[in-house]
């Protein structure tokens, strides 16, 4: 049976050109670039809570890193290093090989080096810490939205939630659309390039992991402002087989999309669209920030509704 150290050496020790010292010592040694601030975030995936215990390890390796990259994207930061802490029920080498493959494939695409972590026996639990850099004073924070800002969102909303509903038997999606939704659910693509490109022209940003209403709600609360959204502007995937209500519900309240929701002054529409086209990321203007608190949605019927700023909550659900 392989020891903990064999496993680390076999699966998680890679050359780390960007670090002074990586895996193998008591701690890693990193040097950040002059004029940059260090941006740090951590996110945990727990078996039975964030994924099914028989989930494909390759996609888990991807997703564990992707959700962390998404947090740095939402800060407008350049990801550089990661730490990986794993609790494993057993030393399943096939599982570890798949997990490492998914993790490193994404890490390589984003120039992220794995510089350390922890490995222990326990029920399956994957925790990644991500470190990156942003030019001093340029991070996209949640507390900087201002009345008059446009509210924007990248990509399409609700696909991951529709995929999950299909898996749970709550709806039936046509095959081609289902594949797309499941891909979004299991292997999200973090919007790192867009986040970085927005760091000069957006005021505030968040990644949509718990649902648009909840996540935009965090920006509004932290910034002390309100917002008005237009349902007709929301970027939804339209498929004939699902009801408009379900698509709208998933777009507003479904989690796991990992798109960016951001606010930018209306005189920055040009730079926002340039950032989007330069990074090949679709963006849609969905409303505006106003003084006050709370969020109204102008429905497809023209009615204005006050929305509850709630998404998925691990302790409430
Ligand atoms: P310590 O006993 O000092 O905590 P460990 O035995 O936990 O050290 O880890 C030995 C080295 O391997 C450290 O550099 C640690 O960062 C690294 N490491 C442990 N687990 C992982 C992992 N899953 N991925 C990457 N590096 C790891
Ligand atoms: Mg340790």
């Amino acid at each position: 049976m392989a020891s903990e150290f064999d496993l680390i050496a076999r699966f998680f020790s890679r050359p780390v050109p960007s670090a002074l010292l990586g895996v193998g010592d008591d701690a890693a040694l990193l040097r950040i670039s002059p004029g940059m601030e260090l941006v740090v975030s951590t996110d945990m995936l727990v078996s039975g809570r964030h994924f099914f215990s028989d989930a494909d390890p390759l996609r888990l390796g991807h997703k564990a890193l992707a959700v962390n990259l998404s947090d740095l994207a939402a800060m407008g930061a350049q990801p550089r290093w990661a730490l990986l802490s794993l609790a494993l029920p057993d030393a399943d080498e096939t599982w570890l090989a798949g997990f490492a493959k998914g993790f490193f494939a994404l890490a390589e695409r984003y120039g992220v080096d794995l510089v350390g972590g922890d490995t222990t026996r326990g029920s399956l639990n994957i925790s990644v810490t991500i470190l990156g850099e942003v030019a001093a004073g340029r991070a996209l924070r949640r507390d900087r939205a201002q009345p008059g800002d446009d509210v924007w969102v990248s990509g399409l909303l609700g696909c991951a939630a529709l995929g999950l509903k299909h898996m749970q038997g709550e709806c039936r999606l046509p095959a081609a659309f289902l594949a797309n939704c499941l891909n979004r659910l299991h292997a999200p693509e973090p919007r790192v390039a867009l986040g970085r490109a927005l760091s000069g022209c957006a005021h505030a940003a968040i990644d949509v992991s718990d649902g648009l209403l909840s996540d935009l709600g965090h920006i509004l609360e932290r910034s002390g402002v309100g917002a008005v959204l237009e349902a007709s502007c929301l970027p939804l995937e339209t498929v004939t087989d699902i009801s408009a209500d379900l698509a709208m519900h998933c777009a507003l309240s479904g989690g796991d999309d990992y798109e960016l929701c951001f606010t930018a002054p209306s005189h920055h529409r040009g730079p926002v669209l340039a950032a989007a086209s330069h990074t090949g990321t679709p963006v849609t203007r969905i409303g505006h920030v106003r003084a006050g608190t709370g969020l109204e949605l102008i429905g497809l019927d023209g009615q204005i509704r006050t929305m509850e700023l709630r998404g998925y909550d691990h302790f409430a659900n």
Side-chain angles (χ1 to χ4, degrees):
M1 169 109 167
S3 79
E4 169 192 333
F5 302 101
D6 295 335
L7 295 178
I8 297 167
R10 271 190 60 196
F11 296 106
F12 300 113
S13 298
R14 300 267 175 114
V16 286
S18 71
L20 302 171
L21 193 57
V23 170
D25 212 308
D26 295 311
L29 274 179
L30 311 170
R31 181 181 288 149
I32 69 165
S33 316
M36 305 297 270
E37 288 169 349
L38 186 63
V39 186
V40 186
S41 181
T42 197
D43 239 320
M44 185 159 66
L45 295 184
V46 177
S47 176
R49 164 92 7 212
H50 300 96
F51 60 88
F52 300 112
S53 59
D54 60 353
D56 174 13
L58 193 135
R59 287 171 137 186
L60 274 181
H62 173 105
K63 186 160 179 177
L65 181 59
V67 300
N68 279 274
L69 290 173
S70 178
D71 282 320
L72 286 210
M75 296 300 289
Q78 170 72 48
R80 299 216 44 206
W81 305 287
L83 298 154
L84 169 65
S85 296
L86 285 175
L88 304 168
D90 48 40
D92 180 340
E93 300 193 10
T94 313
W95 191 93
L96 280 163
F99 180 87
K101 192 172 174 190
F103 185 95
F104 282 113
L106 188 65
E108 270 161 36
R109 280 207 280 124
Y110 286 91
V112 168
D113 284 331
L114 181 64
V115 295
D118 202 15
T119 307
T120 178
R121 192 188 279 258
S123 29
L124 185 56
N125 191 326
I126 306 161
S127 176
V128 173
T129 298
I130 189 97
L131 301 100
E133 299 180 330
V134 69
R138 295 281 288 269
L140 295 175
R141 304 163 48 135
R142 295 180 181 183
D143 60 0
R144 293 288 196 264
Q146 290 177 19
D149 279 2
D150 295 321
V151 179
W152 298 81
V153 72
S154 66
L156 295 174
L157 293 174
C159 299
L162 283 170
L164 184 62
K165 285 207 181 297
H166 178 101
M167 283 174 75
Q168 293 171 334
E170 290 178 35
C171 68
R172 291 232 63 81
L173 303 178
F177 181 58
L178 174 64
N180 176 34
C181 290
L182 292 183
N183 204 42
R184 296 288 305 269
L185 179 65
H186 297 306
E189 194 61 42
R191 299 298 197 182
V192 172
L194 177 66
R196 292 195 62 212
L198 289 172
S199 96
C201 54
H203 275 157
I206 191 166
D207 64 321
V208 182
S209 55
D210 296 329
L212 177 68
L213 293 180
S214 164
D215 289 318
L216 174 57
H218 293 309
I219 290 186
L220 302 181
E221 277 162 16
R222 296 293 297 269
S223 300
V225 293
V228 181
L229 298 187
E230 285 184 49
S232 63
C233 296
L234 292 176
L236 316 179
E237 183 89 68
T238 44
V239 228
T240 46
D241 303 54
I242 55 167
S243 75
D245 277 355
L246 181 63
M248 184 66 74
H249 173 78
C250 287
L252 291 171
S253 307
D256 268 347
D257 282 319
Y258 299 101
E259 295 296 350
L260 294 185
C261 174
F262 56 97
T263 82
S266 54
H267 64 270
H268 279 176
R269 280 178 197 169
V272 166
L273 292 171
S277 88
H278 173 71
T279 60
T281 320
V283 295
T284 310
R285 195 152 48 82
I286 58 172
H288 67 272
V289 176
R290 57 159 177 74
T293 55
L295 191 152
E296 286 89 47
L297 180 72
I298 304 175
L300 298 176
D301 54 7
Q303 296 268 344
I304 301 174
R305 291 179 187 79
T306 301
M307 306 302 285
E308 254 192 273
L309 300 176
R310 270 192 28 203
Y312 189 77
D313 179 328
H314 286 286
F315 291 97
N317 291 267

